[in-house]
Amino acid sequence: QVQVVESGGGLVQAGGSLRLSCTASGLRFADYHMGWFRQAPGKEREGVSCINWSGGSTYYADSVKGRFTISRDNAKNTLYLQMTSLKPEDTAMYYCAAHPNPYYSRCQPESTYNYWGQGTQVTISS
């Protein structure tokens, strides 16, 4: 049984930092492309940052480039998202997802991801 669990969300002031973690169990983590998605109230879910199986190739949405860093530790079955210089518009529920093609780096259409976590809330105050 596959489980994907995000953690690390919270309430921080604008300009602050947070580190999200996503731990997956029940699958061979290194066989999956991983992605971080977010959904703000009243908006569609969007791909924020994604990473290939090795961590050697990454993708960032324009809105987070230079501020967010995605990484993974395959030995720990864990995906990370280091977020700095946070803005109120980063406020959203953040989700972790696993895709069965490990070679992709760009975020893929949501419907193609096999497994999703329940999300962790990030709230940035101005």
Side-chain angles (χ1 to χ4, degrees):
Q1 181 178 348
V2 175
Q3 285 192 316
V4 177
V5 180
E6 303 95 337
S7 61
L11 171 64
V12 298
Q13 290 188 329
S17 300
L18 279 174
R19 188 196 198 201
L20 305 184
S21 298
C22 165
T23 300
S25 59
L27 54 73
R28 191 168 184 275
F29 190 69
D31 285 348
Y32 287 81
H33 152 110
M34 298 297 297
W36 286 103
F37 293 77
R38 69 184 180 187
Q39 187 167 23
K43 294 189 175 181
E44 291 188 354
R45 192 155 54 183
E46 62 173 347
V48 174
S49 182
C50 293
I51 190 167
N52 75 333
W53 72 276
S54 69
S57 186
T58 58
Y59 164 85
Y60 297 94
D62 287 344
S63 57
V64 306
K65 272 181 189 174
R67 301 188 298 121
F68 291 10
T69 303
I70 191 171
S71 61
R72 65 190 295 164
D73 185 336
N74 289 342
K76 295 182 178 179
N77 281 20
T78 302
L79 177 73
Y80 303 100
L81 187 68
Q82 179 69 49
M83 305 186 295
T84 64
S85 301
L86 284 160
K87 305 175 181 180
E89 50 264 45
D90 294 317
T91 295
M93 184 72 79
Y94 283 71
Y95 299 91
C96 170
H99 191 289
N101 187 324
Y103 303 107
Y104 287 141
S105 56
R106 289 183 66 87
C107 296
Q108 301 299 305
E110 292 181 30
S111 62
T112 63
Y113 286 78
N114 291 48
Y115 305 108
W116 290 83
Q118 293 299 305
T120 186
Q121 178 67 39
V122 171
T123 304
I124 312 302
S125 63
S126 57

